Amino acid sequence: MKLAIVGAGAVGTSVAELASTYDHTVTAIADSKSAAVDPAGIDIAATLSNKKSDGVVGARSPADALESDYDVLVEATPTTLGDAQPGFGHVRTALERDRHVVLANKGPVAERFGELSELAAASEGSIRFEATVGGAIPVLSTIEDFGPNHITAARGVLNGTANFILTRMAAEGLDYDHVLAEAQDLGVAEADPTFDVEGTDAALKCVIIANVLAQGETTYTLEDATVEGISEIPGSALELASEDGRTIRLIGEVAGGDVRVSPRLVPENAALAVSGTRNIVQLDTEHAGVLNVSGRGAGGPETATAVLADVGRLE
């Protein structure tokens, strides 16, 4: 398959680097200012080297990448809220050209799912978005394979930054501000960690799961989610929880038509008490009990594997 990648951050560059190992050819890649386009396949090493040294991937415009010859558009620009632009516009352009789209960008799927579905229905192209939930973890494909109508609820730990902070607070008896600074030094947390620690990132992922489970009968956006983060949790709360054989995790849940994200007490040895940056999703099923899907929920190469798995499903 010929891939055009829009977004040259950690995920987009990892997709470019790994594409050939999945027998795909990258014919275009764009960042916010430039693009490299070659119908025969761009030189990945040279292009990414150029990005590192000069801050741009090539001499063409980003619009050239969208208008180039490709089978699948990989949308890997940063997630934005509200109108989900420019990602939504990129998806629209590809679908109107009857091309397939694979998203790593959560914005269009979480904020404009109804419109996205209508565009896909009118196109010969398809949309897939496994990489928007849980990095390398096959959450959405598991739901798809099992059958959304046979899953009654989903819950899990869906943000590695928040989980790392809570894990360290519990293990070392440290307060939130101390561990946040440590996480930022290690590169686990962003300079502005609000998106992660206030629960927004986890909520977007839960909204996407809710949309998949609803199968078009209802559509959800971030406004439909009840969200509480971890920034106000004192270290003493984790100490008290530990004395009772429990710990605190930021849990997102989709159940009974509601989407919620909040810190919750869980038994220390429970499946939901994953440590560090690890993620987990539990699916409640009608006839098979609880399914646990766990693994690396973030990272460039990890998320790229989910993107490329989706490309494979389109072949």
Side-chain angles (χ1 to χ4, degrees), residues 1-307:
M1 300 277 268
K2 294 180 180 179
L3 311 183
I5 303 169
V6 182
V11 175
T13 56
S14 292
V15 172
E17 290 171 332
L18 295 176
S20 63
T21 67
Y22 288 74
D23 297 323
H24 304 305
T25 301
V26 178
T27 56
I29 184 168
D31 57 23
S32 61
K33 300 176 182 178
S34 68
V37 180
D38 187 338
I42 65 172
D43 184 329
I44 301 297
T47 300
L48 298 185
S49 177
N50 195 57
K51 173 68 174 176
K52 188 174 182 180
S53 61
D54 300 336
V56 293
V57 293
R60 306 280 290 272
S61 76
D64 291 335
L66 289 169
E67 295 166 4
S68 66
D69 180 25
Y70 57 86
D71 301 307
V72 183
L73 178 73
V74 175
E75 217 304 327
T77 62
T79 295
T80 55
L81 306 181
D83 65 4
Q85 295 289 14
F88 182 82
H90 299 156
V91 176
R92 179 194 294 276
T93 296
L95 289 174
E96 288 179 346
R97 295 185 64 206
D98 293 322
R99 303 297 198 268
H100 299 302
V101 178
V102 172
L103 292 112
N105 179 352
K106 294 181 283 292
V109 193
E111 295 286 64
R112 303 180 70 171
F113 187 76
E115 295 169 85
L116 208 63
S117 299
E118 290 175 2
L119 285 170
S123 173
E124 292 184 14
S126 301
I127 56 171
R128 299 198 66 88
F129 42 92
E130 180 68 75
T132 62
V133 178
I137 310 171
V139 177
L140 302 182
S141 56
T142 299
I143 292 173
E144 180 182 34
D145 291 344
F146 199 88
N149 56 318
H150 296 298
I151 294 172
T152 58
R155 74 189 60 81
V157 173
L158 285 163
N159 184 269
T161 299
N163 206 57
F164 175 88
I165 291 171
L166 291 172
T167 299
R168 290 286 292 150
M169 287 175 68
E172 304 296 333
L174 301 170
D175 62 28
Y176 169 82
D177 290 332
H178 183 103
V179 177
L180 173 59
E182 178 186 84
Q184 289 170 324
D185 288 341
L186 292 171
V188 174
E190 300 288 343
D192 180 359
T194 305
F195 208 62
D196 297 313
V197 300
E198 296 303 335
T200 305
D201 176 68
L204 288 170
K205 294 169 183 175
C206 287
V207 166
I208 292 169
I209 291 172
N211 280 323
V212 171
L213 291 177
Q215 302 180 77
E217 294 183 7
T218 304
T219 56
Y220 296 84
T221 70
L222 186 60
E223 289 187 355
D224 298 309
T226 302
V227 187
E228 179 185 351
I230 66 167
S231 61
E232 300 301 320
I233 297 176
S236 58
L238 286 143
E239 292 177 8
L240 288 170
S242 179
E243 291 174 3
D244 195 34
R246 296 187 290 178
T247 190
I248 298 173
R249 290 292 181 263
L250 184 66
I251 304 296
E253 184 169 37
V254 179
D258 293 329
V259 179
R260 297 179 178 275
V261 175
S262 62
R264 296 191 192 180
L265 287 166
V266 298
E268 286 182 336
N269 296 320
L272 287 175
V274 289
S275 61
T277 58
R278 196 171 183 84
N279 282 194
I280 184 171
V281 173
Q282 289 185 333
L283 302 174
D284 291 353
T285 73
E286 285 184 331
H287 308 296
V290 177
L291 304 180
N292 292 321
V293 190
S294 181
R296 296 182 178 180
E302 292 85 353
T303 306
T305 64
V307 169

